[in-house]
């Protein structure tokens, strides 16, 4: 589901396969396990950076709604939501800079995953960032909106993203301040991400200090990760036991 | 440590001497006393300009002083937070005329003014903590975010320790205008101050409005987790601690 390699000071986590990389428990667990490995390997070595990318036409097309909606007891949406929120917390707490090298479409939860990285590089020739919920008739969770607001600079941009389901190409993303740079093709995007990662790693920041600083900058996101009203998870009781 | 003069309706507080103006209790008390004096002489309408002599506006906390006793970091943190509260509550517009480097707590001091004018030929604004392996306090981050609208720019300032020249500062919306040399910067600050005084705003109303605008900063000035001050115990008694 995902592979992990190391190039110098840079870890590259790749979501593998040609499918839509729907965020179901299996894929989320696989990504979290890779992050846990990155975290433990970085502890023993010098400063590092993480690049997250994917194969094929999609970065991620969002939650695995087929899987989630086939549960009459409606536990599955809660499980996916909880796992994604734990993954986002892991990313916000990761002791190194993080770069999303967006190879293709990143929709809904997939867009949130890309936004949960410190930097976003994207191919200009294909793919959209797309908060699709409005178009597919889904309520967007409060925590998704908090992530969007924490990474976008203006109310007009949040409006476009969240209240107008804009399909954002890399070039639009750069103009809107959501994407740091646009590149020709997936390979060039990953190369640029690796270069950025290596530059950031060469600053030799203390990973724990970097993570603590990031947690403070995104305290408002961390504060809302405990619940997801769109799946009926108020954060009061333990969904974890269901996992 | 600092001098106070009045030019027309405008006060100019100058941190004196050629040192890097490290914020230790002596300097913080001196600036605080000058600000208190300005406050007492604030009618009719007036404005405050804060500047410094030499190559530095302020290079941050006096770490050499602070590290020799565990009570000391709490003391300088508390004194700076009280000074920032005084500036946010000052019944007149405030202008920092940045003559040189303003790093870490020194950058925070500059940012605690309503306007920031800076010389373009020398000096950086620099949140140095990441580069020197220090955790950045929540209240520093809150102040930065209250003055900077864009997530990409907070990222550069707080999570990438950018060295910001006056020109970059103007582009990023942190610096209001850039000038050739310190005298020109102070002149421009005096002119801006005089223009603001000419609006004949009531000082108390100005201060009350500013307190509302920066309520989120005021809310976090009571504590500094990086020095272990949760705001619960009485740091004032610590400040009377004879060293």
């Amino acid at each position: 589901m995902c592979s992990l390699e190391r190039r110098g000071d840079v870890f590259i986590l790749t979501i593998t396969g040609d499918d839509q990389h729907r965020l179901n428990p299996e894929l989320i667990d696989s990504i979290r396990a890779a992050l846990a490995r990155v975290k433990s390997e970085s502890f023993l070595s010098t400063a590092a950076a993480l690049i997250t990318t994917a194969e094929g036409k999609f970065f991620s097309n969002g939650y695995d709604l087929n899987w989630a909606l086939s549960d009459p007891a409606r536990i599955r949406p809660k499980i996916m939501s909880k796992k994604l929120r734990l993954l986002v917390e892991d990313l916000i707490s990761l002791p190194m800079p993080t770069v999303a090298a967006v190879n293709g479409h990143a929709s809904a939860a997939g867009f949130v995953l890309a936004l949960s990285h410190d930097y976003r590089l994207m191919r200009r020739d294909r793919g959209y960032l797309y908060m699709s919920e409005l178009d597919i008739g889904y309520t967007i969770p409060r925590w998704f909106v908090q992530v969007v607001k924490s990474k976008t600079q203006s109310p007009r941009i949040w409006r476009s993203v969240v209240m107008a389901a804009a399909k954002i190409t890399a070039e639009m993303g750069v103009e809107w301040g959501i994407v740091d740079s646009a590149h020709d093709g997936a390979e060039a995007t990953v190369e640029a991400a690796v270069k950025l990662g290596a530059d950031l790693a060469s600053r030799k920041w203390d990973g724990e200090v970097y993570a603590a600083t990031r947690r403070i900058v995104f305290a408002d996101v961390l504060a809302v990760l405990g619940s997801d009203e769109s799946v009926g998870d108020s954060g009061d009781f333990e969904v974890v036991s269901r996992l | 440590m600092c001098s106070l003069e009045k030019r027309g309706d405008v006060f100019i507080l100058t941190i004196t001497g050629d040192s890097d103006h490290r914020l230790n209790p002596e300097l913080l008390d001196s600036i605080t006393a000058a600000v208190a004096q300005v406050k007492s002489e604030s009618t009719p309408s007036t404005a405050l300009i804060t500047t410094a002599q030499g190559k530095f506006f302020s290079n941050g906390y006096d770490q050499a002083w602070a590290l020799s006793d565990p009570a000391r970091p709490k003391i300088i943190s508390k004194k700076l937070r009280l000074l920032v509260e005084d500036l946010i509550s000052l019944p007149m517009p405030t202008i920092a005329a940045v003559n040189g480097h303003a790093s870490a707590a020194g950058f925070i001091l500059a940012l605690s003014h309503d306007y920031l004018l800076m010389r373009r030929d020398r000096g950086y604004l620099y949140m140095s903590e990441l580069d020197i392996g220090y955790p950045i306090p929540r209240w520093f981050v809150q102040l930065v975010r209250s003055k900077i609208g864009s997530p990409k720019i907070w990222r550069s300032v707080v999570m990438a320790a950018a060295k910001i020249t006056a020109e970059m500062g103007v582009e990023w919306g942190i610096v209001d205008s850039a000038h050739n040399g310190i005298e020109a910067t102070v002149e421009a600050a005096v002119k801006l101050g005089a223009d603001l005084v000419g609006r004949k705003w009531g000082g108390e109303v100005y201060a009350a409005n500013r307190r509302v605008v920066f309520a989120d900063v005021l809310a976090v000035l009571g504590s500094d987790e990086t020095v272990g001050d949760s705001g619960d115990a009485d740091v004032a008694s610590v400040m009377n601690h004879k060293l």
Side-chain angles (χ1 to χ4, degrees), chain B residues 15 40 79 118 141 156 167 178 197 224 229:
Chain B
I15 303 172
S40 69
K79 284 180 182 281
M118 187 169 174
V141 174
S156 295
E167 302 281 20
V197 168
D224 179 345
D229 182 354

Side-chain angles (χ1 to χ4, degrees), chain B residues 81 84-90 92-94 108 110-116 138-149 173-174 176 205-222:
Chain B
R81 286 181 280 123
V84 168
E85 179 153 22
D86 289 345
L87 286 168
I88 293 176
S89 308
L90 203 64
M92 66 190 70
T94 58
I108 290 292
L111 275 179
S112 301
H113 290 69
D114 299 329
Y115 300 85
L116 204 163
R138 190 172 310 258
W139 79 270
F140 276 26
V141 174
Q142 194 63 50
L143 184 59
V144 168
R145 286 183 61 160
S146 75
K147 299 278 178 163
I148 298 176
I174 303 174
D176 292 291
V205 173
Y206 188 89
N209 289 358
R210 193 206 281 110
R211 285 181 63 90
V212 172
V213 171
F214 296 104
D216 49 354
V217 176
L218 290 173
V220 295
L221 285 184

Side-chain angles (χ1 to χ4, degrees), chain A residues 182-243:
Chain A
H183 303 271
D184 295 316
E187 267 170 49
T189 307
V190 173
E191 282 308 306
V194 170
K195 181 175 186 309
L196 173 59
D199 287 346
L200 292 166
S202 74
R203 300 287 295 270
K204 302 226 173 299
W205 294 319
D206 180 303
E208 292 306 324
V209 172
Y210 188 87
T213 301
R214 194 203 281 112
R215 285 181 64 90
I216 292 174
V217 173
F218 297 104
D220 48 357
V221 173
L222 290 172
V224 295
L225 285 185
S227 61
D228 181 349
E229 70 293 345
S230 72
V231 298
D233 182 354
S234 62
D236 290 338
F237 72 98
E238 272 300 313
V239 179
V240 173
S241 59
R242 303 257 188 197
L243 304 174

Side-chain angles (χ1 to χ4, degrees), chain A residues 118-120 149-153 174 177-180 200 203 205-206 209-210 212-214 216-220, chain B residues 126 129-131 133-139 141-142 145 149-152 154-156 158-162 225:
Chain A
D118 299 330
Y119 299 84
R120 263 154 308 286
K149 283 183 163 185
S150 75
K151 299 281 177 157
T152 54
Q153 63 207 51
V174 170
I178 302 174
V179 174
D180 293 290
L200 292 166
R203 300 287 295 270
W205 294 319
D206 180 303
V209 172
Y210 188 87
T213 301
R214 194 203 281 112
I216 292 174
V217 173
F218 297 104
D220 48 357
Chain B
Y126 173 41
E129 283 82 349
L130 200 54
D131 281 351
Y134 271 71
I136 189 167
R138 190 172 310 258
W139 79 270
V141 174
Q142 194 63 50
R145 286 183 61 160
S150 143
K152 287 180 80 174
W154 322 321
R155 184 183 67 190
S156 295
V158 176
M159 289 170 58
E225 70 291 348

